[in-house]
């Protein structure tokens, strides 16, 4: 006899308290007694959007220095103290925020909170540690350009898509901007953009709410407001004409592909429908996009799509790889898949499949105290209500085909109003890329990620319309997201949705398309829906 499947479990927001300290700091406390741990997530509004002109990566360096000595402890003493309480400590910048997260054994909660307060209120900001951190980051970028440039594809893509906007700044910086950052820049950033009025702190775990609130008030109550108000963030400019950025990697055997357009912001109201449609389009192995580029054609090891949502509209992005000789063919298939989605939408059968998938995966992303610290921290960072978590399963169940049509019209860009970024052998793919629009060309070895100001005009050859099937395309049919605080959210498969290694791969096996990596404790920088 077949065992009856258990009903899907809804996610309920655990009991919690929200307080605002007299200095403006926001505090959320979530008692959870399952295991003897206390997790924390501190979010300081600002992030890379507050980096000074020509100093991209400044906020990331400031974040990195928070754990390199604070209070009376030097870098070694701080790390030793964290280890001594069975703890962890991570700090990273995103486009909208700076995030400090970690956890410790509940018996040492007071000591860990003292370390956190030292890092926020009294970081050493050592010149020696800055030089080490800066040199390491520059070498990491150079190493990626030399050995695995696909790691940097989304950084190039956002710089091109959001040119002139804070979301276009590389959060971790470029070789040129990092080299120009001195200790004076670091201290000025800290004084201007760190303060109690910018802080949202979530404490979750095995401790009483009264005890945690008292400790937080004692340690953070004297913190003053930031030296400057948070600067306003204008919406990014619309994409009027499709443009191409070609990054030359001589003798490359494959091309890394990124197609980006403007998406939606963090407060977009149709989140459940957005997640379901993106799951169907490019968020799982059997998605429309991966079916077109891998399963049916064998052009790529994989293709994925995602939304990055922040304080203002972020990007919708498609990412994949293809053999150099088939670069244009892969782009045609990806653009055609997007055009078909815009034209035909999804079917009822597809919607039910995605709904069951999302309902089964979503609870897995909210199981531990650390998960809840991140999730509620994200809500505080963007001033959203807890109902956006607790009511999410109900929203998924209520999504209709009409909702999917609205989302496709509102959130997914027109294939003619996107930017295309390709890292590959320019000598072999320059001419085919000119069919897609004006081409800007740069070299991978060039420092930084900003594209040169002038564009090479497209050749008069006419690109096939993405609204029609490519003549060489084979037949085939169609086929929530774990969100981290302080950065844009990306629609992608929840935990457990990785592609199976046993699935059939193309004979030539170009390298797998990489999903953007997330900083510790956060979705990708501008780190998703």
């Amino acid at each position: 006899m077949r065992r009856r499947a258990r009903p899907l479990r809804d996610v309920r927001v655990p009991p919690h308290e929200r307080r605002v300290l007299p200095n403006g700091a926001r505090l959320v406390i979530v008692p959870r007694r399952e295991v003897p741990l206390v997790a924390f997530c501190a979010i300081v509004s600002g992030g890379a959007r507050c980096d000074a002109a020509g100093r991209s990566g400044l906020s990331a360096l400031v974040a990195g220095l928070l754990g390199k000595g604070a209070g009376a402890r030097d870098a070694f003493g701080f790390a030793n103290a964290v280890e001594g309480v069975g703890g962890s400590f991570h700090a990273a910048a995103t486009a909208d925020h700076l995030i400090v997260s970690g956890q410790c054994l509940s018996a040492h909660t007071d000591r860990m909170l003292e370390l956190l307060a030292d890092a926020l209120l009294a970081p050493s900001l050592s010149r020696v540690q800055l030089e080490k951190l800066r040199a390491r980051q520059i070498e990491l970028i150079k190493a990626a350009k030399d050995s695995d440039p696909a790691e940097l594809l989304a950084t190039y893509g956002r710089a091109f898509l959001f040119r002139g906007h804070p979301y276009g700044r590389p959060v971790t910086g470029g070789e040129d901007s990092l080299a120009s950052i001195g200790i004076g820049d670091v201290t000025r950033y800290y004084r201007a953009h760190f303060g109690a009025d910018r802080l949202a702190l979530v404490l979750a775990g095995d401790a009483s709410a009264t005890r945690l609130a008292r400790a937080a008030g004692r340690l953070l109550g004297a913190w003053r407001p930031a030296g400057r108000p948070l600067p306003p963030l204008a919406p990014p400019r619309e994409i009027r004409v499709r443009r191409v950025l070609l990054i030359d990697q001589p003798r490359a055997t494959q091309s890394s592909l990124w197609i980006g357009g403007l998406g939606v912001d963090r407060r977009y109201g149709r989140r459940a429908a957005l997640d379901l449609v993106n799951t169907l389009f490019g968020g799982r192995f059997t998605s429309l996009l991966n079916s077109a580029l891998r399963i049916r054609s064998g052009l790529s090891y994989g293709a994925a799509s995602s939304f990055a949502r922040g304080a203002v509209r972020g990007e919708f992005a498609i990412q994949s790889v293809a053999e150099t000789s088939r670069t244009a063919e892969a782009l045609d298939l990806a653009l055609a898949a997007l055009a078909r989605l815009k034209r035909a939408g999804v079917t009822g059968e597809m919607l039910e499949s995605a709904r069951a998938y999302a309902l089964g995966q979503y609870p897995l992303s909210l199981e531990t105290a650390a998960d809840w610290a991140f999730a509620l921290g994200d809500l505080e960072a963007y001033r959203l209500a807890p109902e956006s978590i607790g009511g999410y399963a109900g929203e998924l169940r209520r999504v209709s085909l009409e909702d999917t049509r609205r989302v496709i019209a509102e959130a997914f860009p027109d294939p003619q109003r996107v930017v295309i970024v390709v890292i590959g052998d320019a000598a072999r793919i320059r001419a085919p890329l000119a069919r897609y629009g004006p081409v800007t060309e740069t070299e991978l070895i060039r420092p930084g990620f900003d594209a040169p100001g002038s564009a090479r005009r497209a050749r008069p050859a006419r690109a096939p319309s993405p609204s029609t099937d490519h003549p060489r395309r084979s037949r085939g049919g169609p086929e929530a997201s774990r969100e981290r605080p302080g950065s844009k959210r990306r629609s992608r498969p929840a935990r457990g949705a990785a592609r199976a290694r046993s699935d059939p791969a193309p004979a030539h096996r170009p390298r797998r398309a990489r999903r953007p990596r997330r900083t510790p404790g956060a979705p990708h920088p501008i780190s998703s829906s």
Side-chain angles (χ1 to χ4, degrees), residues 406-454:
R406 290 179 180 177
V407 161
I408 292 169
E410 295 169 350
F412 287 79
D414 187 309
Q416 296 295 335
R417 300 178 67 180
V418 296
V419 300
I420 298 173
V421 178
V422 180
I423 300 177
D425 188 349
R428 298 179 61 188
I429 61 178
R430 180 183 293 117
L433 291 182
R435 297 186 294 130
Y436 299 98
V439 178
T440 299
E441 189 171 326
T442 187
E443 296 178 321
L444 187 61
I445 61 173
R446 180 175 178 267
F449 299 97
D450 292 332
S454 60

Side-chain angles (χ1 to χ4, degrees), residues 170-252:
V171 174
T172 54
E175 308 98 300
D176 48 355
S177 64
L178 289 168
S180 68
I181 294 173
I183 193 64
D185 299 304
V186 169
T187 55
R188 281 190 291 272
Y189 182 99
Y190 176 80
R191 290 169 184 166
H193 301 296
F194 271 63
D197 57 326
R198 302 275 190 98
L199 176 68
L201 172 62
V202 182
L203 302 173
D206 184 22
S208 73
T210 301
R211 174 190 171 193
L212 292 176
R214 186 183 300 118
R218 173 176 55 85
L219 295 168
L220 302 173
W223 200 13
R224 296 181 178 180
R228 297 180 191 172
L230 186 65
L233 186 62
R237 289 177 295 184
E238 295 285 346
I239 305 298
R240 302 295 182 187
V241 178
R242 193 163 64 194
R243 298 177 284 120
V244 180
L245 174 64
L246 171 57
I247 303 143
D248 186 20
Q249 183 188 10
R251 297 180 296 280

